[in-house]
Amino acid sequence: MGEIILGTGIDLVACNRIQDSMERFGSRFLNRIFIQTELDYCLKQKYPECHLAARFAAKEAVSKAFGTGIGGHLGWKDMEVHRLKSGEPQLRLHNKGVTLLENKNGIRVLISLTHTKEYGAATAILIGNEDC
């Protein structure tokens, strides 16, 4: 039983867009998009807007890999970017995310993040079983 790629996604977010939303909407914006563990990590960084932009991009990329976009089938908080001790980002799915993964016959979603002072970017790969 092998694994196959069921979907891919990519996204790019300007860090100043995140900074502007933080300044304009504050915690209302942050709490709508991010889970507390994501905020705890990002807000401790020298340029939190860039770390948040990469995670925002990851959530968009994951929604593209699923082929749903953000909305009724998959919400912002149904996805969490977790950082392993090695520094590797790992996607955790919650609620609708878990259901969607099962419905797509997926087994996991791989993500990769990057950022500069100007942009945050991410890719996502939805992995499934060959037998599905």
Side-chain angles (χ1 to χ4, degrees):
M1 175 169 63
E3 295 180 349
I4 60 171
I5 295 173
L6 299 175
T8 64
I10 186 169
D11 200 62
L12 177 71
V13 176
C15 296
N16 66 359
R17 178 177 164 215
I18 298 297
Q19 183 65 41
D20 290 347
S21 293
M22 289 170 57
E23 290 171 3
R24 186 169 178 194
F25 303 108
S27 62
R28 194 173 95 210
F29 163 72
L30 293 173
N31 292 323
R32 181 174 160 256
I33 306 296
F34 302 103
I35 291 174
Q36 191 60 50
T37 55
E38 294 171 312
L39 294 173
D40 290 344
Y41 172 76
C42 293
L43 295 177
K44 291 179 188 174
Q45 304 306 311
K46 184 173 182 178
Y47 300 104
E49 66 277 9
C50 295
H51 293 270
L52 291 165
R55 280 153 181 79
F56 189 103
K59 293 178 184 213
E60 287 281 2
V62 169
S63 76
K64 292 172 183 177
F66 276 120
T68 62
I70 303 289
H73 296 287
L74 186 66
W76 293 109
K77 289 187 157 186
D78 294 324
M79 302 169 277
E80 174 187 2
V81 177
H82 173 72
R83 188 171 185 266
L84 299 176
K85 288 182 181 180
S86 64
E88 176 186 356
Q90 179 185 57
L91 184 74
R92 291 180 177 168
L93 294 170
H94 304 287
N95 306 314
K96 290 180 182 178
V98 173
T99 302
L100 187 57
L101 183 69
E102 292 169 357
N103 290 344
K104 296 281 188 174
N105 295 315
I107 54 176
R108 69 180 177 278
V109 180
L110 303 174
I111 59 171
S112 182
L113 312 178
T114 191
H115 63 79
T116 65
K117 287 176 83 175
E118 291 83 25
Y119 296 99
T123 59
I125 302 172
L126 174 58
I127 305 291
N129 284 321
E130 190 172 28
D131 297 340
C132 297

